[in-house]
Structure formats: C-alpha cells, structure tokens
Amino acid sequence: DSGVTQTPKHLITATGQRVTLRCSPRSGDLSVYWYQQSLDQGLQFLIQYYNGEERAKGNILERFSAQQFPDLHSELNLSSLELGDSALYFCASSRLAGGAGAYEQYFGPGTRLTVT
Amino acid sequence: DQQVKQNSPSLSVQEGRISILNCDYTNSMFDYFLWYKKYPAEGPTFLISISSIKDKNEDGRFTVFLNKSAKHLSLHIVPSQPGDSAVYFCAARAMEYGNKLVFGAGTILRVKS
C-alpha cells in the first residue's frame, strides 16, 4: 500500500460527459502528479501540483483541468469526454516538487475510465 | 517523440536465473532514473533509482546499471522469483522539467517456476 488513495476505482460514462477523479496523497507529501496510461502505452505525465499551485504541465488536453485543495487532495476534471479518453488515470505524490529527495513518486491504484 | 524506450515488450526467465531489463534514452539532460514495478490492477511501485553521477546502484536482489555514454540503463534481478512477474517501467527525469517523470512503455517479465 503506497498510501496514495484514488477514487473511484472504475468509472463508465458516455461521450460528451464530464467526470471528476479524486486523489489523496501520502501523509506529508505536498506534491501531486497526474498520469494517463492508455492501452499498451507507458504513463504520460499530465500535470503536477505543489502545495496548491500548479507546478508543471505535460500533454494535458484543454478539456482536462486539475486542482489541489488546501488539505492537499487533488481532483482531475475531464470534460467533453471522447472515446479516446478511455484509459487508466494514476495519481502520484512526493514530498517535494524538485531537488534532492523529491524524485521518488508513490502511485495510487488508479482510476479506470471507460467512455462509451 | 519517445525519449525513454524499452524495446523488449516481454521477457521470460526461469526461476533462480538472472533477469535483465533494458532501457534506452535520448535526452542527455536526464539526471535521475527510476524503475517501477506494476502488478495488474495496482499502481506502479517504486523499485530502485540511480543518479546520473553514478553507474551502479544495488538494493538486495535488484541492481541498476547506468551507461551514460550509451544512454542506456539496465535492471538486473538476481535470483529471479515467480513473485517478480510484473510489468517493469523505466522512468527518467530532467531537472529542467521539474520533477515530472518520462516513462518507457514497459516490459512484461514472466518468471517461470
């Protein structure tokens, strides 16, 4: 158990809909990362938050947004869903945003999103 | 542009023997490399890491080797155990990109008993 929790575990929704994925980081971790894993692909970095502020952005679509709340949990919002958005979405956390000791990220179990 | 490549989609090894998983990268700015293991229906689990200033890091049965001139790293598992059967991801980070990780596509390791 990494200490990172994600809800829901599974989500099935229709095209055009909007969903929210939730992540709670490990106790004491200030940095949260979101990754997307499509079928047979490696994990693609989407976005990073550190202590409530956006820190880095990857290949995140404009239809997707995220935020980190004062209690450090994070939400990833996916809107106008398309079939191609079906994937595993992982959240990870680490103590710091960068520099020494920040590299190891601990992953949650993921949310499997199916868009029909 | 795939900056981190794991060219072997799968590897099968006999229990007790050595497993060698390989990873190549193209970005010379990468300064830290990590290996993650992933079981089905679970998130990736951190296994071992290595800084670009080192060429070897060992932790129990797991050893990671880094060859900077060849932009190549490998993970050795000795001896391999059936419980090691999983997908192994190589990941890299560059300080200029913050702490985001760039992952390879993964290698499925099967350890036969």
Side-chain angles (χ1 to χ4, degrees), chain A residues 5-23:
Chain A
T5 61
Q6 288 187 249
T7 56
K9 200 165 185 177
H10 300 280
L11 199 49
I12 302 174
T13 188
T15 54
Q17 295 297 306
R18 182 180 190 275
V19 297
T20 297
L21 313 183
R22 184 188 167 102
C23 167

Side-chain angles (χ1 to χ4, degrees), chain A:
Chain A
D1 184 356
S2 67
V4 178
T5 61
Q6 288 187 249
T7 56
K9 200 165 185 177
H10 300 280
L11 199 49
I12 302 174
T13 188
T15 54
Q17 295 297 306
R18 182 180 190 275
V19 297
T20 297
L21 313 183
R22 184 188 167 102
C23 167
S24 292
R26 290 188 318 159
S27 177
D29 284 359
L30 299 178
S31 206
V32 169
Y33 312 78
W34 286 97
Y35 291 86
Q36 178 193 57
Q37 185 184 18
S38 301
L39 192 64
D40 296 332
Q41 301 261 332
L43 287 83
Q44 302 292 320
F45 170 74
L46 294 178
I47 197 163
Q48 176 197 0
Y49 276 81
Y50 174 72
N51 204 20
E53 294 195 3
E54 183 183 303
R55 191 66 178 237
K57 227 169 182 176
N59 298 324
I60 187 167
L61 300 171
E62 283 192 17
R63 300 183 286 109
F64 296 1
S65 65
Q67 58 185 135
Q68 186 179 27
F69 294 87
D71 66 352
L72 301 177
H73 92 271
S74 177
E75 292 181 356
L76 179 67
N77 301 297
L78 315 176
S79 61
S80 302
L81 285 167
E82 301 175 0
L83 295 177
D85 297 327
S86 296
L88 270 169
Y89 291 84
F90 289 102
C91 167
S93 72
S94 70
R95 295 244 177 269
L96 303 173
Y103 313 122
E104 286 82 31
Q105 296 176 21
Y106 295 86
F107 284 77
T111 293
R112 181 173 292 281
L113 173 67
T114 302
V115 183
T116 61

Side-chain angles (χ1 to χ4, degrees), chain B residues 14-110:
Chain B
Q14 199 65 35
E15 181 180 5
R17 305 295 291 267
I18 184 171
S19 294
I20 300 176
L21 296 107
N22 294 302
C23 178
D24 297 295
Y25 63 95
T26 56
N27 190 339
S28 57
M29 299 301 292
F30 286 143
D31 59 356
Y32 206 78
F33 303 88
L34 305 88
W35 284 94
Y36 283 83
K37 178 169 77 171
K38 185 181 180 302
Y39 293 118
E42 294 183 12
T45 302
F46 170 71
L47 204 52
I48 193 169
S49 61
I50 187 166
S51 165
S52 61
I53 62 173
K54 296 187 176 181
D55 54 20
K56 177 182 173 182
N57 188 26
E58 195 171 347
D59 184 1
R61 297 185 299 113
F62 303 92
T63 303
V64 56
F65 294 93
L66 175 62
N67 182 333
K68 279 185 68 177
S69 60
K71 294 192 176 69
H72 176 84
L73 66 155
S74 60
L75 174 68
H76 292 211
I77 307 174
V78 184
S80 301
Q81 300 173 353
D84 296 329
S85 297
V87 180
Y88 288 78
F89 290 98
C90 168
R93 66 143 251 172
M95 193 178 296
E96 63 175 346
Y97 303 145
N99 203 33
K100 86 169 195 186
L101 297 177
V102 180
F103 281 84
T107 296
I108 300 170
L109 173 65
R110 295 187 185 90

